[in-house]
Amino acid sequence: MVATLLVLVLSAAAAILWVITGKFVEPIDDTPLNTRIVAASQGTVTLPATPETGLPGTWGLIWQEGEAGERRQGVLGRVLRTDGNTVTRELTTDDGPPPADAKAKVSVTVWDGDPKRTLALDYQDLTYPGDLGPMPAWFLPGSEKTWIIQIHGLGAGLSAGLRTMPHLKTLGFPVLDITYRNDPGAPHDAHATRRFGDAEWHDLDAAVRYARTHGATGVVLYGFSMGGGIVETYLDRATDTSLVRGVVLDSPALDYRAAISTIVDGFSLPGAVTDVVSAFVEIRSGADLDAVDTLTANRHSGGPKQPVLLFHGTADTIVPHATSAAFAHDWPDDVTLVTVPGASHTGSWNVDPNRYERALTTFLEHHVSQGPPSKPRRRARRDPTRIGARRCLPLARQRLVRGRLRWGRRGRCRCKRPRPARMRRPSGRGPGSGCRPRSTTARPCRQAQPASGRRHGRPPVAPTRRTGAAPPVSRAPHGSRPPRRPP
């Protein structure tokens, strides 16, 4: 009996763990409807007062028509009133108000549908070639040459990127919202499960190649949740990431073991369960969680090679905010972290859309709109034989150099700014002894100087007694050695 009871307990525990880990690896979002509609009218809805229903900002509301009816979705607006037990908010829907007592849930995905039907944005429904076959995607044309490639997270779909599309469209950026393997409508691999970026990064690589072949001179990778982990895995493993101008991450999964630990803590389970759940996830997905730990991978590789903008809410119960804070702490010069108090997982835009879009605009204008960073100009080595090459001499003193200057057009001395040459003190002996430059050659100057020869209050040098008058300047060909002066 004891053995039988032990087997039953272990079997039940394994079954529970199998169900829990299925939430990580199954490609379809089957999040349960965890609340009910108290009342609804045209333009408003009343919900039970919970931490989710009382969040500020803009959210989606999903409800079910009847016990086995079709799911519908509307847009939750601002909170109108609350009495401690219920919350009444604005509701925008195309299907009429939901029925009372219908099952519902609050969703970060505000709109459900294509960009044309939900946001009146013109788009193209296309496919890009992937390793497993054609991958569905949405494309919004734009005037810029840099494309934004959006990658959704676990259990989400293309509609997850609808929140940022209107703003990106206003900025003029083309948007490519992609799917990856095992998505509904996309090709499936042999595992038919999520691989947490271990395999999905190949599909992102194919999307970047598609953008390049269709005229993009740069791309910005925009990843939500697991999509952020896919972006970082791609940057770590791809052979050519030269097209990437910047990275935007929203609640990115940078450490999956930390995410599993956060979920286990949410169920008030012992910490030892984390290792067991992680092992089950690896078995079911076929992925090595340590191999997709991009937080550690960046520490080994020396940090991100592109500027990163990172959004994360403090109320995230799936991916801990601490991982994003550690990423920004490791690379403060490359990562800009925008912390949104009270925002849930990928809910930073929902809580405060204005702040979110301001930060996004600043990042794109600073790092992307200015084009790719120019290569640093190589500093020329200083030639010790050409001291004073950037300095101009008054014409009277130039004549004493006896043809050792290289002249430009019309015999004028060209230089950037007039500065006195560094000369030795007059020796008083020999022709042209008024002043002698330290070198025998000089580069052409670029600015004409007055013929008076006055510089800093000094009179022009008079010709010496031996020669009587200064000899004419010899116009030697460029690069040739001037004739030697007779004794």
Side-chain angles (χ1 to χ4, degrees), residues 32-258:
L33 304 177
N34 54 7
T35 189
R36 287 185 176 272
I37 304 294
V38 176
S41 61
Q42 191 65 34
T44 64
V45 63
T46 301
L47 303 169
T50 64
E52 290 182 341
T53 59
L55 286 172
T58 304
W59 303 83
L61 180 66
I62 301 174
W63 69 89
Q64 183 173 310
E65 297 281 356
E67 291 297 328
E70 183 181 358
R71 289 192 176 189
R72 303 185 182 278
Q73 185 163 346
V75 179
L76 279 179
R78 61 190 180 94
V79 176
L80 300 177
R81 57 184 177 274
T82 179
D83 57 8
N85 295 324
T86 61
V87 177
T88 301
R89 308 185 63 147
E90 294 178 344
L91 177 65
T92 304
T93 176
D94 297 332
D95 301 321
D101 205 37
K103 294 181 180 180
K105 72 172 181 178
V106 177
S107 173
V108 295
T109 303
V110 180
W111 296 279
D112 182 23
D114 58 69
K116 182 65 175 179
R117 185 172 66 88
T118 58
L119 300 172
L121 295 175
D122 293 330
Y123 81 107
Q124 301 173 15
D125 204 343
L126 53 82
T127 58
Y128 66 95
D131 297 342
L132 302 178
M135 312 296 294
W138 289 341
F139 178 69
L140 277 71
S143 58
E144 296 286 339
K145 293 297 184 180
T146 299
W147 289 22
I148 310 291
I149 299 181
Q150 292 187 328
I151 309 97
H152 65 80
L154 178 66
L158 294 175
S159 57
L162 290 173
R163 291 171 292 176
T164 55
M165 283 184 184
H167 186 65
L168 295 174
K169 181 71 173 179
T170 302
L171 297 178
F173 290 98
V175 180
L176 182 65
D177 196 357
I178 69 170
T179 59
Y180 42 83
R181 60 191 64 195
N182 302 316
D183 271 344
H188 288 221
D189 59 10
H191 293 82
T193 59
R194 299 302 191 203
R195 301 287 300 279
F196 309 108
D198 195 31
E200 291 86 352
W201 75 269
H202 293 286
D203 303 324
L204 175 57
D205 189 27
V208 174
R209 293 196 304 268
Y210 177 86
R212 185 194 297 271
T213 57
H214 285 76
T217 60
V219 296
V220 174
L221 305 182
Y222 203 138
F224 300 88
S225 188
M226 192 183 87
I230 295 173
V231 168
E232 289 298 315
T233 303
Y234 160 79
L235 294 174
D236 182 56
R237 301 186 185 182
T239 57
D240 182 13
T241 60
S242 59
L243 203 66
V244 181
R245 301 286 178 257
V247 176
V248 181
L249 305 176
D250 194 328
S251 305
L254 304 176
D255 184 353
Y256 284 98
R257 294 189 184 275

Side-chain angles (χ1 to χ4, degrees), residues 356-368:
Y356 192 103
E357 292 174 355
R358 285 197 304 269
L360 183 60
T361 301
T362 301
F363 177 81
L364 293 177
E365 288 180 348
H366 182 68
H367 295 288
V368 178

